[in-house]
Every structure is written in C-alpha cells, then in structure tokens.
Amino acid sequence: MISLKNPGQIAKMRDAGKILREVEDEVREKIRPGVSTAELDILAERLIRKHGAIPSSLHYEGYPCSICASINDEVVHGIPSEKRVLREGDIVSIDCTLLLDGWQADSAFTVGVGPISDEAERLIRTTEECFWKGVRQCVIGNRLGDVGHAVEAHARANGFSAIRDFTGHGIGKEMHEDPAVFNYGEPGRGLRLRRGMTLAVEPMIAAGDWHLSVDEDGWCARTVDHSLCAHYEHTIAITEDGYPEILTLPGFNWEAEA
Ligand code: MF3
Ligand code: CO
Ligand code: CO
C-alpha cells in the first residue's frame, strides 16, 4: 500500500532529513586512512541521539549497527567493525537512516579514502549522476519505469551496471514502504508518480557486473566479480509542480542547479 503524505507530514520528514544531513556530513569529515568503520558507526549513533532522533537501522531485522559501511566490492549492508580499518585507495559507502518524531529519513553516499584510482572516481561521480538523472524523472505523471530507465541508461552509457537485487523504496513512518524504486525499467511503465509520494531513490552502481553474493554474516552484499560498487541515496518528496524536494539535502534549490 502506498501512503501519500500531506504537507504537514512532509514537513516532519524535512526535519528528519535535516538532521540526517548533519549527521552524515560529520561522519564524512571523519573518513580517512586508519579509521575503522566501527568508529564511524559510534559517531553516527552519538550524533543521531544528540539530536533526539533514533537510529532506524539498529536492531532492524536484527541488524547490529546504526549505519551500513560498505567498502570497495561491498554493495550494501556492510556491518561496521573495529577490524574494518579504512585504507588509502578504498572507497566506502555510508548509508544511514534515522527516525525523528515518528518520521524516517534515509540517505547514502560513497567517498574515496585518500587518493583513489581514476576508475573509482569515475564510478562515484557516475553513481551520483545516476541519482540526479533518476530524480529529474520524479515529476507528477511520470512513471517509476522512467526513473529506473534513466538511472540504468546512465550507468550503462558509462560502462557500468546498475544493481538489480536491491531497490529504492517508499519511506515515511516506516523505513521501507511501497513502492519499490528499481534502478532499471522501461520508460512509460510502472506506477504513476503522485503528489505526496515520498521515496528513497538510491542507485547502486557496479564498475563490473551486477550479480551479488551475500556474506556469511547474512548481511553484507558484494559483487560476485569483486568489482567496485558505489551508492548514492536521498529521500525525496513528489511535490505539486516541477522537480521533487530533496528532503535529505536541506536548502537544495533546483533553480540554482539549472
Ligand atoms: N538504509 C538502507 C536503505 O537504504 C536500509 C538499511 S538496512 C539495515 O534501504 F539493516 F541496515 F537497517
Ligand atoms: Co539507505
Ligand atoms: Co533506502
């Protein structure tokens, strides 16, 4: 079931998104060679709680941490650990979801640890571009197939592949709501977008093939061919006219973009 949000509810999600942005920006600052992903997780949890929010991932279906930290060929759901120390040349995806006053915000980004290869730079840049290609399709009357197609086509045009086994999703009172927001699709197909839909749009893009395997911990998904993967996610709201509001990028202005 798809729940449409009224302006008051979207305002609550905007508040959650603002805090999540602050948390993730602080975590990003700490990323450097020698830092463990457990340190990033502890920092994120502390900041989330300091703002009066709750880390949504912690204990979610048994997940043990407040962020996912996925390194190199890890796609999503990397479990933070003291043993996972970031090294120069790695890329790391940080994905965090929080709950503020009953409303969720979900966002992810990938960064390099110190200098990284040209291909890794290009993968991170392309993944972010895939997000924007998809989000520009998120206007009233368009369909989810338009969004997925835009993401996948941009990945493919750059020689990369969009992950198929994980998707974006509706979001609101729950972290994961309907509909699934696929990172591939056929233009003109799928659910029609309506005002008040709030979605997590999250391209996951592999430098090689999109097939995944899941580690023995039952969580961490990685590419079978061990190619690098990047992830970029924001929570958005489909608004009355024009492009959507990016709830996890407070102050973002489409006019300034164009
Ligand atoms: N933040 C993830 C998403 O984008 C979900 C986190 S899974 C969890 O959908 F297990 F870590 F909670
Ligand atoms: Co997420
Ligand atoms: Co998400």
Side-chain angles (χ1 to χ4, degrees):
M1 195 197 65
I2 289 157
S3 76
L4 300 178
K5 282 77 177 179
N6 65 38
Q9 294 170 322
I10 290 175
K12 294 277 207 179
M13 292 181 68
R14 185 179 300 126
D15 291 342
K18 187 161 184 281
I19 287 172
L20 179 55
R21 184 79 279 117
E22 287 181 29
V23 169
E24 286 197 333
D25 286 350
E26 275 205 55
V27 169
R28 186 200 313 261
E29 294 277 295
K30 290 287 173 308
I31 293 174
R32 59 175 63 99
V35 171
S36 75
T37 54
E39 290 171 73
L40 300 176
D41 179 63
I42 289 163
L43 171 65
E45 179 173 4
R46 185 163 57 73
L47 294 169
I48 290 167
R49 295 199 192 279
K50 187 182 85 180
H51 284 101
I54 294 166
S56 312
S57 297
L58 187 61
H59 310 316
Y60 177 84
E61 293 183 8
Y63 187 78
C65 293
S66 298
I67 62 170
C68 301
S70 309
I71 304 170
N72 296 336
D73 65 336
E74 299 170 3
V75 176
V76 286
H77 305 162
I79 298 177
S81 162
E82 285 164 14
K83 297 194 188 104
R84 303 305 305 278
V85 175
L86 297 175
R87 289 189 292 204
E88 192 170 294
D90 286 342
I91 66 171
V92 61
S93 302
I94 303 295
D95 186 2
C96 186
T97 313
L98 62 72
L99 183 75
L100 181 76
D101 199 16
W103 294 90
Q104 303 276 356
D106 187 5
S107 171
F109 62 89
T110 302
V111 288
V113 182
I116 58 175
S117 70
D118 290 349
E119 188 188 46
E121 291 276 11
R122 200 166 63 82
L123 176 67
I124 292 171
R125 189 173 60 243
T126 301
T127 303
E128 189 169 338
E129 288 166 359
C130 285
F131 169 83
W132 291 107
K133 295 275 183 189
V135 157
R136 282 177 182 272
Q137 295 297 319
C138 292
V139 296
I140 290 174
N142 270 7
R143 293 176 182 270
L144 282 176
D146 298 313
V147 181
H149 177 77
V151 168
E152 207 262 340
H154 190 65
R156 189 194 295 258
N158 283 277
F160 300 144
S161 47
I163 298 299
R164 300 173 87 88
D165 295 358
F166 293 96
T167 70
H169 47 90
I171 178 168
K173 283 192 164 298
E174 305 295 331
M175 170 160 66
H176 293 146
E177 299 184 355
D178 289 339
V181 181
F182 289 89
N183 290 311
Y184 60 91
E186 272 184 67
R189 297 293 204 94
L191 184 80
R192 206 180 270 284
L193 297 173
R194 294 178 59 191
R195 171 164 51 101
M197 284 183 179
T198 46
L199 304 172
V201 177
E202 49 180 312
M204 292 147 264
I205 307 296
D209 183 81
W210 56 265
H211 285 92
L212 307 183
S213 66
V214 175
D215 286 3
E216 279 185 357
D217 64 18
W219 283 102
C220 183
R222 65 178 75 237
T223 53
V224 170
D225 65 7
H226 297 297
S227 63
L228 296 178
C229 190
H231 185 191
Y232 192 79
E233 173 178 33
H234 283 296
T235 298
I236 70 163
I238 308 293
T239 46
E240 192 81 64
D241 42 35
Y243 293 128
E245 179 175 352
I246 318 290
L247 298 170
T248 44
L249 267 187
F252 176 81
N253 179 344
W254 284 102
E255 261 100 82
E257 233 10 51

